[in-house]
Amino acid sequence: MIFGKKEEKEKKSIRVSILTNEYLVDGLDDSDSSALSGAFDAEIDDPSGGCLLLTDARVQPMGNINTPTRTFDEWRMPSLTNVVAMFSDDPAAEDILLEMWEDYQTPFKVLIYSGTYIIEGTVYSEDEAPPDFMLLAFAPIEDLKITSQVDKKAEIIRAKWGVVNSMMMQGYSIEK
């Protein structure tokens, strides 16, 4: 359209959770520049991935941290370096993952030890071999289950879609 008002695309926010060894933050993430998209851009050479901004955020301490759960209008994370995993049950999260990791089609059941967490789910590889986590800092994961090894009373975290940070892994096992 040359004349007149341009149609503006409605910006959609998706609910995303980001887990570190110290806390879990849950907030609204802009689907146009999603944290999940930023994870795709984070390479082993530079795992920082840039600054993330979540709005309407709830920050909950994990493990042995003694701070209260708090809410913030905006929560910024200057880097992805200390992120263990990012995940969401929002269907828009699946769309983002499918768009970013479209070549990752081969599923593998995995058990990951990462920081103080055990992560189980299905990771995807871009070929028939299991992912070796050598190129990208993050890998897509589906049906993830995260168990805290520090706080045995902590609720198990479950989500449909997400990414895991290979830089935080101490080891993993691929089911054959």
Side-chain angles (χ1 to χ4, degrees):
M1 170 186 270
I2 296 174
F3 299 101
K5 196 175 188 177
K6 287 184 181 180
E7 279 188 43
E8 288 188 26
K9 212 176 167 183
E10 184 182 328
K11 276 193 168 187
K12 246 173 101 174
S13 293
I14 62 173
R15 186 142 301 272
V16 172
S17 296
I18 301 174
L19 179 67
T20 72
N21 279 329
E22 293 79 26
Y23 64 88
L24 173 68
V25 60
D26 178 73
L28 295 175
D29 184 28
D30 180 0
S31 64
D32 287 340
S33 61
S34 171
L36 297 171
S37 298
F40 179 78
D41 294 333
E43 297 178 351
I44 295 294
D45 295 349
D46 178 20
S48 62
C51 185
L52 301 179
L53 170 66
L54 296 181
T55 57
D56 189 27
R58 179 177 171 265
V59 179
Q60 171 188 342
M62 299 297 285
N64 293 323
I65 295 199
N66 249 351
T67 59
T69 297
R70 295 184 60 190
T71 58
F72 299 92
D73 292 336
E74 292 183 342
W75 183 258
R76 288 178 168 74
M77 296 182 72
S79 167
L80 297 177
T81 304
N82 293 314
V83 170
V84 172
M86 289 189 273
F87 44 89
S88 177
D89 281 330
D90 193 318
E94 179 183 28
D95 293 342
I96 291 167
L97 290 175
L98 289 174
E99 180 182 325
M100 301 308 295
W101 277 279
E102 66 184 332
D103 294 335
Y104 289 68
Q105 297 291 318
T106 308
F108 292 93
K109 292 284 185 192
V110 68
L111 180 113
I112 300 167
Y113 280 48
S114 183
T116 60
Y117 302 102
I118 294 177
I119 303 171
E120 299 173 71
T122 303
V123 295
Y124 288 85
S125 177
E126 57 188 336
D127 53 37
E128 295 301 314
D132 62 8
F133 304 110
M134 298 277 298
L135 299 174
L136 298 175
F138 288 86
I141 188 167
E142 184 176 26
D143 295 325
L144 68 151
K145 173 182 159 187
I146 302 173
T147 308
S148 171
Q149 294 303 293
V150 172
D151 185 358
K152 299 290 186 184
K153 292 182 248 167
E155 197 171 306
I156 293 173
I157 300 169
R158 297 179 189 276
K160 183 68 179 157
W161 306 281
V163 293
V164 291
N165 186 346
S166 64
M167 302 291 289
M168 297 293 284
M169 294 178 190
Q170 282 102 17
Y172 62 94
S173 175
I174 302 283
E175 187 178 296
K176 296 182 184 197

